[in-house]
Amino acid sequence: MQHLLEKFLSFRTNVLTLLFLLLSFNAFSQVKTLGLTKHLNGAQENGYTLFSPIRVDTTYLIDKCGKKVHQWAHKYSPGLALYLKPNGNLLRAETYVDTIFGAAGGRGGLIQEYDWNGNVVWRYKIFNDSLCQHHDIKPMPNGNVMVLAWHAISRSQAVALGRDSANFNSNQLWGERLIELRPIGKDSAEVVWQWDLFDHIIQDIDNTKPNYGTISANPQLMNINYALDLQTYDWIHANGIDYNAKLDQIVMSCHNISEVWIIDHSTTTSQAKSHSGGSCNKGGDLLYRWGNPIAYGKGTSLNRKLFRQHNAQWIPGGFRDSGCIMVFNNGWNRDTAYSSIDVIKPPIIAGNNYNPTLPYGPSSLTWQYKDSVPTRFYSKIISGCQRLANGNTLICSGVPGKFFEVTYNKKIVWEYKNPVSEIDHQTDGELARNNNVFRCTFYPDNYAAFKNKILSPKGTLELSSYIYSCTPDFTAPSVLALIPAKNQTSVAANPTLKITYNETVLKKTGRIKIFENNNLIESIAIDSNNVVVNNNVVTIIQTKPFSYNSTISIAVPTNAFRDSSNNFTAAIDSSKWHFYTLRPTLVLDSISPKHLATEINFNRLLKLFFHDTIVKNNSGAILIYENNTLKETLPIASNNIVINGKIVTVTPSNSFAFDAIISIEVGACFKNNLGALNTIITKGNWIFFTRSTPKITALSPLHNATGVILNPTLSITYDRPIKVAKSGNLIVYEDGFPVDAISVNGPRSMIAGNTISFDLNSDLLNGAFVAIALEANLLVDTFGTNCTAIDSVNWHFTTFKSSGVKFQNKNHAVKVYPNPNQGVFTLQSNEVISYLEIFDAQGRQVAINTNQHNEQTTEIRLNQYAPGYYILCINQRYGLQLIID
């Protein structure tokens, strides 16, 4: 009762808080314009957001209620990136006063590290006549610092490298250099690795200069004469870097090219200057590039995906879409100006390399956020994004200085408007001005930097903030149901294991352990594909079936899952989740022959394959039916039924009949060691056929026939009645060329019992070699057994040769009369009649009776044959058509 009362009070408090928050944001027209402006269920709670407004000499750390919990004061404004290290120190790029690199966008030049109390513990200047840190830095896992720097060369140097002299608006060209520093003491550093873009360029305008080549054939190199703005000295204007320790690779966001590049960090400095070496053996050449294939001659504006993007980064392991690359796609130069957060999955292959197919993939995004009205979300420059542990995405829309968090389903659940400008802290209710922010970063409250730190709220950054309420969620998800339930009995061997929580959860790390009779049988990684989360339901896919009559217990570790507010789940141990297995029936895995199998041998053995070792039951029988008539009954005690472990072999006393339908009925004949009987198999559930494939008994014209008439009817006769199974054609080839295609179910074909016949579309050529082909499975017998194919090797013949046979429609040296008649013809010839042959309309040679009056006159008797057309061949030279009516 006390527990229920506490839950009721907690629910009432949350409802009142939500109402108060809504009223606070909207009552009396006091709509908050600055600081926290939205906070809904589903946001990532229990953490802090770090940011430093542009041109402001202070860095702030705020909680999810928009309250300041810490700040660092500085002498310089940001230049531009900053990071909170695990030891609690702040690493910050800062704008150093200079006159050489001027006021170029993103200029820095100085890196300083501050302890928690704001004391400078290390500083290093990267600024001289040819180098200047800009935009981004990156703390490395080994304690070093990766620096993004401009590398300036003179106009003459650039022209010597192949830069077109027309592509200048100043006396310098700025490339990009990556420099890895190992901090030493308080104000020194050692360069331990570096990479320079000018070592990896190509040009196609002057073959007398270095780096000459075909742009489209060398995507690993950057065309020195390409950029979206070729006139600017800031050629590439890279604006962000990230490091992937697993791949040992660096991704760089190249604003003025609208591409992201990936570079191998496993090289030495000397290898990074070359085109070989490193784990990918490509030296410092680009391993991969994406966003604008026009830059390497492999696309058009239709292929362009990025539009002056910022903040390219890998999504960390264990996070949603881990291994993918996320960018803030600003949308500058897009057909419609709007920003989006784009996630792509690079086509990585073996050896940490990338699929070389051009243009580089992917062609589509893995995930994208844009506003439902796209133009409402637009930041032309700066900006960033970050995938959070709960699957949400934190977005910094840099120009309006707005931070907001969206769920994977693209709902905004948290929003904050920076109230700090370079002049002052602005007053709530006013419209924000000059409040640009380069990026913001979220750190969960269990981040090592916060250990033993006091992070109590110290008020809002906006002045005269309207009254509002913020109640973070600190309640961990609780279990609503387990499947199978605790103490459930008669559970199957492969049950679906499910945990239902009272709210949506996300996977963390650890292993779920499954025990059978207190023995560990499986350990499943929570971040594997065998653990599937769908909102508040967790499904565990075990790979090993459980034994029967066993106790199964599941152990889920602490912190296996978390909610959107970074609250972790409690452990589930065997005292909370265990159940019992029992098999109610004996499982039959398979039978042989299979049900509805065809063309089974007449003396085939019958086999049953069970899941468990079995023995014979005390009663039961196996019945064999042939064409629905009981042929044989085998009692279970019969020696014709033999068991070997899990396999039953049944030997029928007699062979099966040809072309018979065999049905098998199996009673409750077998049992396992638990006494569970097999399920009865009725004769309708085990049927097979002893039937062969239909055989061809006759072809007309005959295979290899010669002297065939020019318009024969083609026919195929089988050993049984046939019918059409599916559409298809009989193909006629004449001297190797297809001349006719006759559909098996068209008007030029006819089936009569066992025979299918085909009419030609036109007469064949004189003396042609004719081949016939019919594909398999077009015809079947009445049981559905497919007919095999016929090809030209199996059916071909030759028509009369024009050189030796002259037909009766020409001036012959022979004549026959009367024609037509009842079958008695007189043949006269101008030459001696020495050889006669007669063929019927199907090309078959028939016997003839003759009565030769003299060497040039013969009587031919065919009255024993049916009426029809016949071909008479004389002396293998002349051919005449005879008609019996």
Side-chain angles (χ1 to χ4, degrees):
M1 182 62 71
Q2 179 66 28
H3 176 67
L4 291 175
L5 180 60
E6 289 175 355
K7 288 184 69 66
F8 171 74
L9 291 175
S10 174
F11 170 76
R12 186 182 69 173
T13 299
N14 289 337
V15 170
L16 292 174
T17 298
L18 178 60
L19 289 173
F20 184 62
L21 178 61
L22 293 173
L23 289 172
S24 300
F25 280 175
N26 296 285
F28 311 112
S29 300
Q30 290 188 335
V31 177
K32 285 184 64 61
T33 62
L34 298 172
L36 183 67
T37 56
K38 180 177 289 187
H39 193 173
L40 304 178
N41 287 338
Q44 171 102 34
E45 305 290 358
N46 306 347
Y48 308 95
T49 301
L50 181 76
F51 67 100
S52 185
I54 290 179
R55 297 177 298 278
V56 174
D57 58 4
T58 307
T59 296
Y60 299 100
L61 190 67
I62 61 171
D63 63 18
K64 292 306 290 276
C65 291
K67 304 291 181 66
K68 179 183 71 174
V69 296
H70 197 68
Q71 72 177 46
W72 291 262
H74 314 287
K75 180 179 178 181
Y76 303 100
S77 60
L80 288 166
L82 62 154
Y83 299 87
L84 186 60
K85 297 174 64 175
N87 64 359
N89 288 358
L90 179 72
L91 186 68
R92 187 174 188 260
E94 301 186 337
T95 303
Y96 191 70
V97 178
D98 70 89
T99 57
I100 296 178
F101 283 87
R107 177 177 55 87
L110 178 66
I111 304 170
Q112 297 206 103
E113 183 172 340
Y114 301 82
D115 66 16
W116 186 258
N117 297 318
N119 301 306
V120 176
V121 296
W122 178 73
R123 71 192 306 268
Y124 190 77
K125 185 183 76 168
I126 300 185
F127 164 71
N128 56 39
D129 290 347
S130 63
L131 285 178
C132 180
Q133 177 273 326
H134 68 98
H135 282 93
D136 207 358
I137 56 177
K138 181 69 178 179
M140 304 288 280
N142 59 4
N144 294 346
V145 180
M146 185 67 67
V147 180
L148 175 63
W150 283 311
H151 174 202
I153 63 175
S154 68
R155 177 175 180 148
S156 60
Q157 288 175 307
V159 170
L161 290 175
R163 177 85 166 186
D164 192 326
S165 59
N167 295 333
F168 287 93
N169 67 353
S170 75
N171 291 321
Q172 287 187 330
L173 181 67
W174 299 356
E176 301 291 349
R177 179 175 289 183
L178 294 173
I179 305 168
E180 183 176 353
L181 300 175
R182 183 173 67 85
I184 298 174
K186 291 189 174 183
D187 58 3
S188 298
E190 176 189 4
V191 176
V192 297
W193 180 89
Q194 68 178 0
W195 171 93
D196 197 294
L197 176 59
F198 285 126
D199 295 323
H200 306 280
I201 58 175
I202 189 171
Q203 55 90 15
D204 61 355
I205 66 170
D206 190 340
N207 61 8
T208 66
K209 293 179 179 178
N211 315 310
Y212 181 79
T214 302
I215 305 299
S216 60
N218 292 277
Q220 75 279 10
L221 304 175
M222 181 59 207
N223 180 5
I224 197 172
N225 289 300
Y226 179 83
L228 297 174
D229 181 4
L230 265 173
Q231 295 299 310
T232 180
Y233 46 81
D234 190 1
W235 171 31
I236 304 297
H237 193 82
N239 54 35
I241 55 174
D242 190 31
Y243 175 69
N244 188 316
K246 181 179 179 182
L247 302 176
D248 202 7
Q249 294 175 4
I250 299 166
V251 65
M252 180 188 301
S253 171
C254 302
H255 173 274
N256 205 22
I257 310 298
S258 280
E259 281 193 313
V260 294
W261 298 344
I262 292 181
I263 298 157
D264 192 354
H265 177 259
S266 70
T267 58
T268 64
T269 295
S270 60
Q271 289 172 334
K273 292 174 66 65
S274 72
H275 309 293
S276 62
S279 61
C280 297
N281 198 31
K282 293 189 177 181
D285 287 348
L286 305 184
L287 300 180
Y288 171 75
R289 56 198 300 185
W290 188 86
N292 182 18
I294 303 172
Y296 50 93
K298 282 294 182 179
T300 67
S301 59
L302 297 177
N303 303 110
R304 185 174 169 188
K305 306 293 186 182
L306 295 179
F307 299 88
R308 309 278 188 160
Q309 78 293 331
H310 281 72
N311 200 199
Q313 70 204 264
W314 275 283
I315 296 176
F319 285 47
R320 193 159 191 168
D321 297 329
S322 64
C324 291
I325 290 177
M326 173 185 280
V327 298
F328 188 106
N329 197 356
N330 292 74
W332 181 4
N333 297 137
R334 211 192 301 246
D335 289 344
T336 300
Y338 68 89
S339 297
S340 61
I341 309 302
D342 295 350
V343 175
I344 63 167
K345 186 173 185 178
I348 196 161
I349 57 178
N352 294 339
N353 221 314
Y354 296 84
N355 189 323
T357 302
L358 300 178
Y360 287 107
S363 59
S364 59
L365 302 176
T366 297
W367 183 84
Q368 182 185 64
Y369 171 79
K370 60 183 179 181
D371 197 282
S372 57
V373 180
T375 52
R376 283 193 309 209
F377 169 38
Y378 179 54
S379 179
K380 183 176 181 179
I381 58 174
I382 54 179
S383 308
C385 49
Q386 178 188 1
R387 180 56 53 83
L388 305 179
N390 66 349
N392 292 356
T393 301
L394 177 64
I395 300 169
C396 172
S397 186
V399 173
K402 183 171 76 172
F403 317 150
F404 61 104
E405 181 180 338
V406 299
T407 66
Y408 203 77
N409 293 326
K410 304 169 187 177
K411 175 185 176 183
I412 298 177
V413 291
W414 184 85
E415 185 179 86
Y416 181 88
K417 184 67 77 71
N418 169 40
V420 183
S421 72
E422 60 181 310
I423 300 174
D424 57 11
H425 289 239
Q426 300 172 59
T427 301
D428 202 0
E430 297 178 352
L431 295 179
R433 59 191 184 280
N434 300 322
N435 65 334
N436 315 138
V437 179
F438 178 62
R439 282 205 302 250
C440 66
T441 306
F442 178 83
Y443 295 92
D445 61 357
N446 60 356
Y447 185 53
F450 303 135
K451 186 176 182 180
N452 300 322
K453 301 294 192 301
I454 299 174
L455 295 169
S456 57
K458 299 176 178 63
T460 63
L461 297 180
E462 67 273 16
L463 302 178
S464 303
S465 176
Y466 294 152
I467 298 173
Y468 68 95
S469 176
C470 175
T471 306
D473 177 13
F474 293 102
T475 304
S478 60
V479 176
L480 290 181
L482 298 170
I483 297 177
K486 177 182 177 181
N487 286 325
Q488 183 174 331
T489 59
S490 301
V491 175
N494 289 287
T496 299
L497 304 178
K498 288 188 176 182
I499 310 169
T500 302
Y501 288 98
N502 66 338
E503 60 178 310
T504 298
V505 294
L506 298 147
K507 293 196 292 185
K508 290 299 293 178
T509 56
R511 304 190 76 84
I512 296 173
K513 296 182 179 181
I514 302 176
F515 298 86
E516 184 177 277
N517 298 325
N518 294 323
N519 295 314
L520 178 66
I521 61 170
E522 191 163 5
S523 178
I524 301 174
I526 291 169
D527 57 0
S528 72
N529 292 332
N530 286 61
V531 178
V532 179
V533 175
N534 185 9
N535 295 323
N536 64 325
V537 178
V538 176
T539 302
I540 304 164
I541 305 171
Q542 80 272 25
T543 61
K544 299 178 181 178
F546 303 140
S547 300
Y548 285 93
N549 277 7
S550 298
T551 300
I552 308 299
S553 54
I554 316 291
V556 181
T558 304
N559 301 339
F561 306 97
R562 57 172 292 175
D563 64 12
S564 62
S565 300
N566 202 30
N567 299 303
F568 294 90
T569 56
I572 302 173
D573 59 28
S574 58
S575 66
K576 299 176 182 177
W577 196 6
H578 56 265
F579 49 87
Y580 309 95
T581 60
L582 176 66
R583 173 174 287 155
T585 59
L586 177 61
V587 175
L588 177 64
D589 289 334
S590 62
I591 53 177
S592 178
K594 293 182 178 179
H595 180 50
L596 299 181
T598 58
E599 301 182 35
I600 300 304
N601 192 284
F602 310 132
N603 58 355
R604 178 73 173 268
L605 299 177
L606 308 177
K607 290 191 176 184
L608 300 94
F609 301 86
F610 288 95
H611 193 77
D612 296 329
T613 300
I614 57 164
V615 295
K616 290 183 178 182
N617 191 22
N618 297 328
S619 61
I622 295 177
L623 285 67
I624 302 175
Y625 295 82
E626 196 171 83
N627 295 327
N628 212 31
T629 299
L630 181 62
K631 180 181 180 181
E632 185 175 10
T633 299
L634 296 173
I636 187 60
S638 169
N639 292 331
N640 291 49
I641 303 174
V642 177
I643 296 176
N644 183 10
K646 303 177 183 180
I647 303 172
V648 177
T649 301
V650 181
T651 306
S653 299
N654 301 293
S655 298
F656 303 131
F658 174 76
D659 279 352
I661 302 173
I662 309 300
S663 306
I664 311 298
E665 185 175 307
V666 180
C669 299
F670 311 101
K671 59 186 177 181
N672 63 12
N673 58 359
L674 300 176
L677 295 172
N678 65 282
T679 302
I680 292 173
I681 301 175
T682 63
K683 65 178 182 179
N685 289 322
W686 192 1
I687 299 172
F688 54 88
F689 307 89
T690 59
R691 187 161 186 81
S692 60
T693 301
K695 302 295 189 301
I696 296 173
T697 60
L699 294 171
S700 180
L702 293 172
H703 177 55
N704 276 332
T706 58
V708 175
I709 62 173
L710 302 185
N711 61 344
T713 297
L714 309 175
S715 67
I716 310 165
T717 302
Y718 292 88
D719 64 349
R720 69 195 72 167
I722 56 168
K723 59 183 180 179
V724 174
K726 63 179 182 179
S727 297
N729 296 321
L730 178 134
I731 307 299
V732 180
Y733 296 85
E734 203 171 60
D735 294 328
F737 295 93
V739 295
D740 202 357
I742 309 173
S743 172
V744 294
N745 56 356
R748 292 194 286 136
S749 66
M750 182 181 72
I751 292 179
N754 297 18
T755 301
I756 182 168
S757 57
F758 304 86
D759 291 331
L760 294 171
N761 192 38
S762 60
D763 287 356
L764 301 170
L765 295 175
N766 297 334
F769 179 83
V770 181
I772 312 296
L774 181 69
E775 64 181 280
N777 305 332
L778 300 184
L779 305 173
V780 297
D781 66 11
T782 54
F783 285 93
T785 308
N786 291 318
C787 296
T788 57
I790 300 175
D791 60 31
S792 58
V793 174
N794 301 320
W795 192 9
H796 56 256
F797 52 85
T798 306
T799 60
F800 283 111
K801 295 182 180 179
S802 59
S803 60
V805 179
K806 299 179 175 54
F807 291 89
Q808 60 191 34
N809 58 349
K810 299 185 179 179
N811 295 324
H812 294 303
V814 296
K815 63 181 179 179
V816 64
Y817 61 91
N819 189 15
N821 66 51
Q822 301 298 314
V824 179
F825 304 86
T826 298
L827 173 67
Q828 288 185 342
S829 173
N830 293 337
E831 62 186 45
V832 175
I833 300 172
S834 60
Y835 186 84
L836 295 177
E837 291 176 295
I838 292 186
F839 299 87
D840 65 13
Q842 283 71 45
R844 295 173 295 194
Q845 187 172 3
V846 300
I848 58 174
N849 294 320
T850 61
N851 182 14
Q852 191 163 359
H853 299 298
N854 53 53
E855 290 182 341
Q856 296 173 312
T857 305
T858 298
E859 183 182 80
I860 301 172
R861 294 184 175 275
L862 300 176
N863 52 345
Q864 72 271 37
Y865 294 116
Y869 292 87
Y870 294 79
I871 293 295
L872 172 63
C873 185
I874 304 117
N875 295 344
Q876 295 185 326
R877 294 182 56 212
Y878 304 102
L880 295 175
Q881 186 180 74
L882 306 181
I883 303 174
I884 302 176
D885 58 18

